[in-house]
Amino acid sequence: MDHGDHGTMADLPPFSFARGMEFGGDPVFLAGSLIVLALYLWGALRLHRRGDRWPVGRTVSFVLGIVSILAVTATALNDYGMVLFSVHMVQHMVLSMVTPILLLLGAPVTLAMRALPPSAPRRLLIAFLHTRYVRVLTSPVFTIPLFIASLYGLYFTPIFDFLMGSRAGHIGMMVHFLAVGLVFFWPIMGVDPGPHRSGYVMRLLELFATMPFHAFFGIALMMGSEPMISTFADPAPSLATDALADQSAAGGIAWAFSEIPTVLVLIALVFQWWASEERTARREDRQADRTNDQALADYNAYLASLAK
């Protein structure tokens, strides 16, 4: 089977985890990921050298996010993802629902604002974060339909087959998956500064809003009676798989990934909520100490005057 610039994939052996994890894949993602990781580590090191603290957990999370990108693009998974729907769906789900969460927990925007000198680059970053473009891009009115359209509008139209026909189209699609996940989870995670910072209840509603659509998409693939995507309709004999069985596996993967990352984000949101309440309580306690609980004393005096 030929996929344009990707070359011939007909000689790929049956998929296994060991074969999928062999080094290979696309050098564009390898180079881009390493450059982004180097910039992040430079920022963390810059803070450390000037005596500022940067949480180790954030660095670990960001590094894991980069590793997740490399795992699905800089390995043989990238080749198998061109001919097997199930492997492609793993790439899609990781890039759109796992990688963004890990990268955003690393707070890269906050790190950049602290690490960059107070000159043109930092001012440009702050100005960009306050543009109308970013406000629209991170609004739930935009991010939720975009997230849903990335499933139905891509796979159930000829767009997918067109993009899979060339190396540039495939790279663009993978970048799209990552970008959609980042803009969707950015306002929900609430780690980095942004134009939209909803309350925790609203963030939970935004998180759960896409789950039914995600689940239905997976079920539609699992229940299909014939291959729904032309690219994967005729797998090579060397892969030793059936197109319909592979499509059903892809649907199961899409369904599962609508649950697992959601639980992880839910845990993170609950923890952030709890930490926020703790900070508020400590701030109110400090305020009470500074005023010698004057507000409470005034309230008690008011009650005493009512009693009289």
Side-chain angles (χ1 to χ4, degrees):
M1 182 178 295
D2 185 77
H3 287 276
D5 296 340
H6 280 269
T8 301
M9 302 291 181
D11 57 349
L12 284 175
F15 176 78
S16 67
F17 180 78
R19 288 171 179 154
M21 286 293 100
E22 292 177 359
F23 182 75
D26 199 296
V28 172
F29 286 99
L30 176 62
S33 299
L34 293 179
I35 290 172
V36 172
L37 178 60
L39 290 173
Y40 185 94
L41 295 178
W42 170 84
L45 182 61
R46 180 179 174 87
L47 291 185
H48 176 73
R49 284 179 174 175
R50 74 186 189 196
D52 291 342
R53 178 180 173 273
W54 183 251
V56 176
R58 289 185 176 179
T59 301
V60 171
S61 179
F62 194 87
V63 171
L64 289 177
I66 296 296
V67 170
S68 70
I69 296 176
L70 297 176
V72 297
T73 60
T75 63
L77 281 179
N78 200 59
D79 294 331
Y80 278 100
M82 290 295 298
V83 293
L84 289 176
F85 199 0
S86 57
V87 178
H88 167 84
M89 192 58 66
V90 170
Q91 290 182 287
H92 181 171
M93 294 297 108
V94 168
L95 290 175
S96 65
M97 300 198 71
V98 176
T99 300
I101 295 172
L102 293 171
L103 294 180
L104 290 169
L105 287 175
V109 176
T110 301
L111 176 62
M113 294 180 66
R114 292 181 59 185
L116 289 174
S119 56
R122 184 178 178 183
R123 290 197 297 269
L124 287 174
L125 176 60
I126 295 175
F128 175 73
L129 291 175
H130 289 84
T131 59
R132 180 178 299 178
Y133 171 77
V134 175
R135 287 198 298 271
V136 172
L137 196 65
T138 57
S139 169
V141 179
F142 177 81
T143 59
I144 293 177
L146 178 66
F147 198 86
I148 297 171
S150 293
L151 293 174
Y152 297 91
L154 182 63
Y155 290 98
F156 296 158
T157 67
I159 297 176
F160 182 83
D161 292 322
F162 172 76
L163 293 176
M164 290 291 281
S166 68
R167 178 171 177 267
H170 185 243
I171 293 174
M173 181 164 45
M174 295 293 112
V175 172
H176 169 78
F177 292 152
L178 178 59
V180 168
L182 287 172
V183 298
F184 176 74
F185 286 109
W186 180 12
I188 293 176
M189 299 302 295
V191 177
D192 276 326
H196 288 280
R197 190 61 73 242
S198 304
Y200 288 98
V201 174
M202 184 57 66
R203 292 191 215 175
L204 292 174
L205 293 176
E206 293 174 22
L207 176 64
F208 289 120
T210 61
M211 287 184 61
F213 298 95
H214 224 287
F216 182 78
F217 171 76
I219 294 173
L221 294 179
M222 294 171 65
M223 300 296 291
S225 58
E226 60 183 21
M228 303 172 68
I229 308 296
S230 299
T231 300
F232 304 116
D234 186 25
S238 64
L239 294 169
T241 187
D242 175 70
L244 202 57
D246 185 51
Q247 176 176 285
S248 179
I253 291 168
W255 191 3
F257 267 93
S258 70
E259 307 292 339
I260 299 173
T262 300
V263 172
L264 296 177
V265 175
L266 179 61
I267 294 173
L269 283 177
V270 170
F271 179 79
Q272 290 177 20
W273 198 345
W274 173 81
S276 175
E277 293 296 323
E278 286 289 306
R279 288 193 298 269
T280 301
R282 288 196 297 269
R283 184 167 59 249
E284 291 176 351
D285 289 342
R286 289 194 298 268
Q287 178 67 22
D289 291 339
R290 285 195 297 268
T291 60
N292 292 319
D293 277 336
Q294 186 61 44
L296 179 59
D298 291 342
Y299 182 67
N300 288 334
Y302 171 71
L303 292 178
S305 66
L306 290 180
K308 291 181 180 178

